[in-house]
Amino acid sequence: MAWFALHLLNLLWAMAGTSTQTQSSCSVPSAEQPLVNGIQVLMENSVTNSSLPNPSILIAMNLAGAYNLETQKLLTYELMDSDTDDMTIGQLALTIMALTSSCRDSGDRVSILQKQMESWAPSSPNAQALTFYEPSLAILALCQKNPEATLPIAARFAKSLLANTSPFNTDTGAVATLALTCMYNKIPVGSEEGYKALFVQVLKNIVENISTRIKDDGIIGSIYSTGLAMQALSVTPEQPTTEWNCQETVDTILNEIEQGKFQNPMSIAQILPSLKDKTYLDVPYLSCSSDHEEQPTLPNEPSPAPTSASNITVTYTINNQLRGVDLLFNVTIDVSVKSGSVLLVVLEEAQRKNSMFKFETTMTSWGPMVSSINNIAENVNHKTYWQFLSGDTPLNEGVADYIPFDHEHITANFTQY
Ligand code: B12
Ligand SMILES: *[C@@H]1O[C@H](CO)[C@@H](O)[C@H](O)[C@H]1NC(C)=O
Ligand SMILES: *[C@@H]1O[C@H](CO)[C@@H](O)[C@H](O)[C@H]1NC(C)=O
Ligand SMILES: *[C@@H]1O[C@H](CO)[C@@H](O)[C@H](O)[C@H]1NC(C)=O
Ligand SMILES: *[C@@H]1O[C@H](CO)[C@@H](O)[C@H](O)[C@H]1NC(C)=O
Ligand SMILES: *[C@@H]1O[C@H](CO)[C@@H](O)[C@H](O)[C@H]1NC(C)=O
């Protein structure tokens, strides 16, 4: 009875919230809290001595309030020791934010990143939106550490975003919004009015584009871009043009978590801040007093999926119409794998049956990425990669997460971004 009354009260609160506030507010219902705790614990426990230290996980852990102080410490030390030489600008930016979130000094990393961004320029006016993702992270990190020196760099970045003609990308737009909102909030009084006007104009443009990606169920872009997009919409001074029901977004995401769609630690790192009502803009303001003392309430263990011994058949095509006139190929194979296997098992089975299907992977923050098939390798300079599709639809997960169904046709197509 008491629980019911409390629940009703929450509902009333939620309704009052949506009817009176302009900036949509939302929260995880207390009954759903164990689900969120569950993915947080999963993410924290993915940190091991051997893995590549993932700064996004440390940021998420610190924003949410870490449960596992041992892995929090381990990750902090690993990142303090990490070598900046073989990092991209995005990795450098995330490492700076991660160390800041653990109240650690980032050493000379800020000046290295600033140097790199001073000479940054988009490859062309029609460079793919994706190529702005890492520079956006860089502007965000620099804004948090040294806003005044970042102002001219951010202005140049904002202008090149405005001039860009390629199709909009939700993840990139979300990170760019966080970066430019940070800059907008830190323009010193009495500085040139032009900066403010520029940032507002670009933010308005991006937020309009994000608005067009809000679906009826609250998902923004795809389920895996929703976390970053929620952060963006909750901080930007420009309101979305489409009415955004944040509670609907939270409810849909909680449902997806329940369906097991957020098992990849990196996917958790990107959704968790929004579920804890935090954003990357909070990173410089964390207190770093020791976190949670009590252990979290976890969801009841889901009954293990029935382990059916049956096999499924997956049709797998590899297609290169791009590289090397004498190397073009388009071959298909049927492979049989245990039902419930991830796509990676299909690739391994294909490789075992026919050497033409040999492939290589590279380890990344999201897990193994297929870097090469049949000796044709992705290349950042050519902007080529192996895209995976089911029928004609690109997959929204990688080969180590995606679970094919019986008689599915998977294609790996060598293409450009
Ligand atoms: C840029 C980008 C790409 C570029 C990366 C190349 C480049 N040099 O820029 C390209 C176009 C190649 C790409 C490919 C794919 N991507 Co992508 N990508 C992104 C994006 C927008 C930014 C990544 C980034 O720069 N991070 C910042 C840097 C600092 O971190 P990093 O760890 O060093 O980044 C590397 C990895 O992220 C890796 N990477 C990029 N995408 C993916 C996807 C998977 C599954 C893996 C394992 C690795 C990986 O490439 C980055 C650069 O080296 C993210 C968006 C996001 N929210 O994270 C999506 C994102 C990571 N990609 C995604 C997907 C689904 C894919 C593909 C599987 C799409 C497809 N149907 O083929 C393929 C990978 C297929 C394969 N060969 O294994 C999803 C992953 C969701 C999930 N739950 O797994 C994301 C989150 C987009 C989304 N919102 O849905 N991607
Ligand atoms: C990492 O390794 C150290 C010893 O090398 C060990 O004490 C510690 O428990 C390990 N931590 C994790 C999270 O695996
Ligand atoms: C974003 O939206 C504006 C108009 O709303 C449009 O002019 C612009 O081309 C869009 N940008 C991208 C990257 O799609
Ligand atoms: C590749 O092969 C598939 C099926 O064998 C066929 O449908 C498709 O048109 C081919 N594509 C090209 C570019 O040859
Ligand atoms: C079932 O799949 C496994 C691979 O997961 C394979 O080794 C085995 O041969 C398959 N069995 C049949 C009957 O095809
Ligand atoms: C595969 O890649 C080629 C080369 O980029 C492209 O022309 C073709 O449209 C792609 N096919 C699919 C199904 O995406």
Side-chain angles (χ1 to χ4, degrees):
M1 194 61 212
W3 175 85
F4 178 71
L6 204 79
H7 204 65
L8 196 68
L9 216 80
N10 274 339
L11 273 175
L12 289 172
W13 262 111
M15 283 158 66
T18 49
S19 62
T20 57
Q21 275 169 295
T22 44
Q23 186 122 17
S24 174
S25 78
C26 51
S27 60
V28 174
S30 51
E32 251 70 74
Q33 199 56 55
L35 271 180
V36 177
N37 298 344
I39 58 168
Q40 182 175 342
V41 166
L42 186 61
M43 178 188 80
E44 293 185 358
N45 292 347
S46 76
V47 176
T48 60
N49 280 326
S50 54
S51 60
L52 301 163
N54 183 336
S56 302
I57 290 185
L58 187 58
I59 297 170
M61 224 190 243
N62 286 326
L63 285 174
Y67 289 116
N68 189 337
L69 297 182
E70 195 181 315
T71 59
Q72 196 256 10
K73 227 180 186 168
L74 175 67
L75 201 42
T76 303
Y77 288 134
E78 282 181 340
L79 288 169
M80 284 166 71
D81 281 348
S82 62
D83 188 357
T84 54
D85 288 352
D86 29 56
M87 283 189 192
T88 63
I89 52 170
Q91 288 164 345
L92 197 51
L94 287 167
T95 303
I96 291 168
M97 287 192 273
L99 292 174
T100 306
S101 76
S102 280
C103 303
R104 301 293 174 146
D105 190 72
S106 33
D108 59 359
R109 292 179 179 84
V110 177
S111 58
I112 294 173
L113 184 57
Q114 187 172 318
K115 273 249 162 50
Q116 296 206 22
M117 284 308 289
E118 271 160 6
S119 56
W120 175 85
S123 53
S124 77
N126 55 9
Q128 282 298 308
L130 289 177
T131 59
F132 287 84
Y133 188 95
E134 295 204 37
S136 299
L137 286 172
I139 300 289
L140 176 57
L142 291 175
C143 173
Q144 296 184 344
K145 296 310 257 186
N146 196 354
E148 292 210 26
T150 309
L151 212 45
I153 305 173
R156 221 159 41 78
F157 168 80
K159 283 180 194 154
S160 54
L161 260 183
L162 212 52
N164 185 264
T165 54
S166 75
F168 180 76
N169 171 266
T170 309
D171 303 80
T172 308
V175 183
T177 299
L178 289 167
L180 295 179
T181 299
C182 175
M183 288 309 302
Y184 172 89
N185 290 340
K186 290 193 172 168
I187 296 174
V189 261
S191 87
E192 211 187 306
E193 267 310 299
Y195 283 129
K196 196 158 222 156
L198 172 64
F199 296 146
V200 167
Q201 186 190 0
V202 181
L203 282 169
K204 194 165 149 52
N205 177 305
I206 304 174
V207 171
E208 261 171 31
N209 285 296
I210 296 180
S211 297
T212 65
R213 302 299 164 95
I214 304 175
K215 309 216 172 101
D216 289 342
D217 59 1
I219 292 302
I220 312 170
S222 82
I223 62 171
Y224 299 115
S225 50
T226 300
L228 295 174
M230 287 175 80
Q231 287 194 36
L233 292 183
S234 68
V235 299
T236 170
E238 290 300 317
Q239 287 312 296
T241 43
T242 318
E243 174 101 34
W244 175 45
N245 183 340
C246 173
Q247 193 60 48
E248 178 133 67
T249 302
V250 168
D251 293 344
T252 302
I253 287 293
L254 289 170
N255 195 43
E256 298 286 351
I257 293 172
E258 211 162 5
Q259 308 299 312
K261 298 286 178 56
F262 287 85
Q263 301 285 308
N264 181 309
M266 185 61 180
S267 72
I268 302 172
Q270 291 192 351
I271 198 70
L272 193 60
S274 297
L275 297 175
K276 294 282 184 170
D277 213 14
K278 291 284 195 299
T279 75
Y280 286 173
L281 298 195
D282 297 316
V283 160
Y285 309 108
L286 295 173
S287 75
C288 301
S289 54
S290 80
D291 281 291
H292 290 123
E293 251 125 63
E294 83 289 12
Q295 283 309 299
T297 316
L298 295 178
N300 302 323
E301 283 301 317
S303 43
T307 43
S308 83
S310 69
N311 272 13
I312 59 165
T313 301
V314 178
T315 304
Y316 175 46
T317 298
I318 55 174
N319 187 13
N320 165 37
Q321 305 299 323
L322 211 55
R323 264 289 308 287
V325 188
D326 46 348
L327 292 173
L328 306 185
F329 54 83
N330 180 17
V331 279
T332 297
I333 190 173
D334 277 342
V335 296
S336 174
V337 297
K338 287 223 175 58
S339 162
S341 302
V342 294
L343 181 53
L344 190 57
V345 175
V346 171
L347 268 62
E348 282 161 352
E349 185 64 12
Q351 172 173 257
R352 200 184 58 77
K353 283 175 77 172
N354 179 339
S355 64
M356 214 183 160
F357 287 85
K358 65 180 172 287
F359 71 99
E360 281 161 28
T361 61
T362 322
M363 204 53 189
T364 77
S365 65
W366 282 91
M369 183 167 182
V370 175
S371 50
S372 169
I373 296 176
N374 194 21
N375 297 329
I376 301 289
E378 65 173 359
N379 184 315
V380 218
N381 300 320
H382 301 153
K383 299 195 168 15
T384 50
Y385 76 110
W386 281 102
Q387 181 182 52
F388 282 84
L389 306 110
S390 169
D392 294 326
T393 312
L395 298 184
N396 73 349
E397 291 177 320
V399 292
D401 290 317
Y402 186 75
I403 298 175
F405 53 85
D406 198 13
H407 297 303
E408 185 167 6
H409 188 173
I410 298 283
T411 300
N413 190 40
F414 195 63
T415 190
Q416 278 180 301
Y417 55 89

